[in-house]
C-alpha cells in the first residue's frame, strides 16, 4: 500500500510505503496550540517507510519531562506535517490531517486526555491516557 499526503499549499508532500504503525489523538496543550484546534491526530511510520519532498521548518518544542520534540511544519502555509522525538529514534509521527485519504485512519489511543477540551467526547471503547509515556 502507498499512502500519500501534503501540506495545505502543496510545497511539502510525502509518500509512505506499507502500513501505519499506530494512530492516535493527542489532546496536549502544545498540540492544541500548534494545530490551532482541539487536538492533533497523528500516526507513526518508520523513518525508512516515508519519503518527504519539500522543505520543512522546525520548531524545537519540549515535553513536560523536558525531552525535545521536533515539530516540523511547512514554512509557507504553516501546516504541521510531522513530529520527531530523539527519544524515539527511527519513528516519524505524521499529522493525519495532511493525508490525501483519511478513510484509512482509525485512532487506537487518546493521549493527554487530562487537558482535552470540555466539549470533546471521547469514544469509551478507545484506550485513553491522561498523560503520555514520553
Ligand atoms: Zn505548505
Ligand atoms: Zn500533543
Amino acid at each position: 500500500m502507498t499512502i500519500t499526503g501534503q501540506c495545505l499549499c502543496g510545497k511539502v508532500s510525502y509518500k509512505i510505503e506499507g502500513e501505519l504503525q499506530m494512530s492516535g489523538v493527542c489532546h496536549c496543550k502544545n498540540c492544541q496550540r500548534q494545530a490551532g484546534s482541539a487536538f492533533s491526530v497523528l500516526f507513526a511510520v518508520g523513518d525508512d517507510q516515508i519519503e518527504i519532498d519539500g522543505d520543512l521548518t522546525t520548531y524545537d518544542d519540549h515535553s513536560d519531562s523536558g525531552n525535545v520534540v521536533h515539530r516540523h511544519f511547512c514554512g509557507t502555509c504553516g501546516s504541521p506535517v510531522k513530529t520527531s522525538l530523539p527519544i524515539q529514534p527511527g519513528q516519524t509521527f505524521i499529522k493525519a490531517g495532511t493525508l490525501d485519504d483519511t478513510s484509512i485512519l482509525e485512532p487506537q489511543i487518546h493521549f493527554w486526555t487530562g487537558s482535552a477540551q470540555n466539549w470533546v467526547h471521547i469514544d469509551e471503547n478507545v484506550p485513553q491516557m491522561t498523560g503520555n509515556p514520553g
Side-chain angles (χ1 to χ4, degrees):
M1 170 158 83
T2 301
I3 298 161
T4 56
Q6 65 163 65
C7 65
L8 179 60
C9 74
K11 283 191 176 170
V12 178
S13 60
Y14 58 82
K15 204 165 70 177
I16 294 162
E17 295 297 338
E19 305 291 316
L20 309 186
Q21 295 180 1
M22 99 68 198
S23 163
V25 179
C26 186
H27 299 265
C28 84
K29 190 65 194 161
N30 290 17
C31 278
Q32 292 183 23
R33 285 214 163 96
Q34 191 201 20
S37 184
F39 45 73
S40 75
V41 185
L42 43 94
F43 60 84
V45 291
D47 285 345
D48 52 358
Q49 283 181 267
I50 185 163
E51 207 178 295
I52 296 180
D53 190 33
D55 292 328
L56 288 166
T57 304
T58 304
Y59 171 66
D60 286 343
D61 196 5
H62 292 86
S63 68
D64 281 355
S65 45
N67 293 310
V68 174
V69 178
H70 299 301
R71 293 179 179 272
H72 307 273
F73 57 95
C74 173
T76 301
C77 69
S79 296
V81 176
K82 75 166 196 170
T83 301
S84 54
L85 297 87
I87 56 159
Q88 281 173 265
Q91 266 193 328
T92 292
F93 298 89
I94 299 291
K95 300 289 185 177
T98 58
L99 282 171
D100 289 330
D101 175 12
T102 54
S103 69
I104 56 168
L105 274 180
E106 190 158 3
Q108 296 136 349
I109 187 159
H110 288 259
F111 298 108
W112 292 105
T113 55
S115 49
Q117 293 184 12
N118 286 341
W119 59 272
V120 172
H121 298 286
I122 300 169
D123 185 341
E124 287 169 9
N125 300 313
V126 179
Q128 300 181 25
M129 294 175 74
T130 50
N132 180 291

